[in-house]
Amino acid sequence: MAPLLRVNDLRTHYFGFRGTRVVKAVDGISFSVEAGETFGLVGESGCGKTTTCHSIVRLLAPSAQIVGGSIELEGEDLVKKSQAEMRRIRGRRIATILQDPMASLDPLFSVYDQVAEPAYYHQSLRGQKLRQRVKELLAAVRIPSPERRMKDFPHQMSGGMRQRIVGAIAQAGGPRIIIADEPTTNLDVTIQLQYLNLLKDLQRATGVALIFVTHNLGIVAKMCDKVAVMYAGKIVEMQSVRGLFYRPRHPYTKALLDSIPKLGVKEPLYGIPGQPPDLAALPVDCSFHPRCRQAMDRCRIEEPWQHNLNGDGNVRCWLPIDEEAAGRG
Ligand code: SF4
């Protein structure tokens, strides 16, 4: 059976004035998401995670363009859709939860208006049925006294409640897949866990698939079934979440895991040395080689191919960490 979403060799570039500078933010990535699955997209800031999400929903900055590849949602290529067609798809079949709830919510409209809008357009609900649906959606994201709070405006709610309202809006059109781009970054640590649990509960209740974008590997471990690690616009490793944590095969993945502080271990904190490369001047070699602990001559002259990992994902490296060593690490 075809996956719910299949991204194939997607390339999204940003073009500077008169095309003088081309930033290859997403440079040939492929992955698929099954119905009801949680797929994690991880990597440092600027690696192309957010541009990947914006490409999927076709909400790119004017300077960005999808220059190649396909994004198939239930077999239909979204790259070929007009913006009018995408307006019917966004909210109804694919929805987003962004990092900053205040950027997603309109301060001039009440909570009711904002949650009702996608249910009105995509589910054709009106009158009492619409009101009832808004109440149910607010109750599902655990807004206390939903009947009363639906009259409030975003500034009358706490940060955690606003992000839950954004979750209710994402659910309102009955989408098959939700893209959550760093949805807990602006929340207090205590609220983060509640929000993640809420998303999991909503997923169990509705069967929606999640694409979870984060730089936090702890969140990946809690939320995801499958994970792709991005570096400099490419997916360098993709595995089941268990495989990634117990058998990381790419040196960058291993370095990310090594940089997590370990409770009770009094060792100096490890940070990945160096900086990610300039995406406007990517070399033809392995773009991770200046920071890689096991770089060899070939890595400096030739871009690594993608190798399959015994049916459990793939890795893009000339010298993947062997399974035994990865397990011991
Ligand atoms: Fe390191 Fe070479 Fe693998 Fe790149 S290809 S990650 S430099 S070992």
Side-chain angles (χ1 to χ4, degrees):
M1 211 171 76
L4 179 63
L5 180 80
R6 191 203 307 266
V7 173
N8 188 34
D9 198 24
L10 178 67
R11 292 166 197 273
T12 304
H13 298 171
Y14 290 84
F15 294 89
F17 183 61
R18 292 187 180 159
T20 45
R21 186 177 154 88
V22 180
V23 174
K24 296 179 177 177
V26 176
D27 196 21
I29 66 166
S30 302
F31 62 88
S32 59
V33 183
E34 308 289 338
E37 185 177 51
T38 304
F39 180 80
L41 209 48
V42 297
E44 291 164 288
S45 296
C47 70
K49 309 182 296 278
T50 296
T51 303
T52 301
C53 299
H54 290 176
S55 302
I56 294 171
V57 289
R58 300 271 315 281
L59 285 175
L60 287 163
S63 58
Q65 203 181 321
I66 296 174
V67 296
S70 60
I71 303 165
E72 286 176 24
L73 177 64
E74 295 172 298
E76 290 177 53
D77 189 357
L78 301 185
V79 176
K80 295 187 179 139
K81 300 280 180 199
S82 67
Q83 277 301 336
E85 288 171 312
M86 282 307 297
R87 274 194 288 279
R88 287 193 286 275
I89 290 169
R90 284 192 292 264
R92 187 167 67 85
R93 294 170 63 191
I94 189 160
T96 49
I97 298 175
L98 303 179
Q99 196 176 113
D100 179 5
M102 277 316 262
S104 308
L105 297 172
D106 190 325
L108 300 178
F109 287 87
S110 69
V111 165
Y112 175 82
D113 288 339
Q114 300 190 55
V115 179
E117 189 184 358
Y120 178 95
Y121 281 109
H122 299 305
Q123 303 211 310
S124 305
L125 297 177
R126 303 287 185 271
Q128 266 313 312
K129 281 191 180 157
L130 181 59
R131 194 171 184 81
Q132 183 57 30
R133 177 72 180 138
V134 172
K135 219 163 85 177
E136 284 167 12
L137 286 162
L138 293 179
V141 294
R142 297 177 199 141
I143 298 292
S145 314
E147 181 77 47
R148 184 168 57 80
R149 298 305 304 252
M150 66 168 78
K151 299 184 198 101
D152 287 352
F153 286 79
H155 73 272
Q156 294 171 289
M157 301 199 147
S158 66
M161 283 171 92
R162 282 184 213 134
Q163 193 60 305
R164 280 183 275 153
I165 300 291
V166 174
I169 294 171
Q171 294 281 332
R176 301 287 317 279
I177 183 161
I178 293 178
I179 299 174
D181 186 1
E182 307 262 13
T184 56
T185 302
N186 286 336
L187 301 180
D188 290 345
V189 179
T190 48
I191 308 290
Q192 282 184 8
L193 185 62
Q194 284 177 21
Y195 194 74
L196 295 175
N197 287 335
L198 175 74
L199 284 180
K200 269 287 172 205
D201 290 348
L202 287 174
Q203 186 180 35
R204 271 191 283 271
T206 61
V208 70
L210 281 174
I211 296 181
F212 214 93
V213 178
T214 182
H215 58 267
N216 185 328
L217 288 166
I219 291 179
V220 169
K222 177 172 173 56
M223 296 294 288
C224 301
D225 303 306
K226 198 163 73 187
V227 195
V229 179
M230 279 190 84
Y231 187 79
K234 290 188 165 64
I235 290 178
V236 294
E237 178 164 5
M238 184 157 55
Q239 280 211 63
S240 66
V241 73
R242 197 177 170 77
L244 193 99
F245 278 87
Y246 288 104
R247 300 268 186 275
R249 304 297 303 279
H250 195 281
Y252 177 58
T253 314
K254 180 82 168 64
L256 283 178
L257 292 169
D258 288 347
S259 59
I260 301 173
K262 291 170 189 66
L263 202 63
V265 178
K266 288 185 182 162
E267 283 174 1
L269 291 177
Y270 170 73
I272 306 173
Q275 297 291 326
D278 178 358
L279 296 180
L282 283 174
V284 290
D285 50 23
C286 170
S287 51
F288 187 58
H289 85 76
R291 308 173 77 187
C292 182
R293 288 185 276 201
Q294 57 185 67
M296 51 184 187
D297 288 346
R298 188 179 190 183
C299 310
R300 297 181 185 94
I301 50 174
E302 205 177 344
E303 189 182 351
W305 302 327
Q306 188 171 286
H307 306 273
N308 285 333
L309 296 173
N310 296 331
D312 186 27
N314 53 61
V315 61
R316 192 182 279 272
C317 176
W318 288 129
L319 203 62
I321 300 164
D322 77 71
E323 277 198 45
E324 290 300 310
R328 282 198 303 271

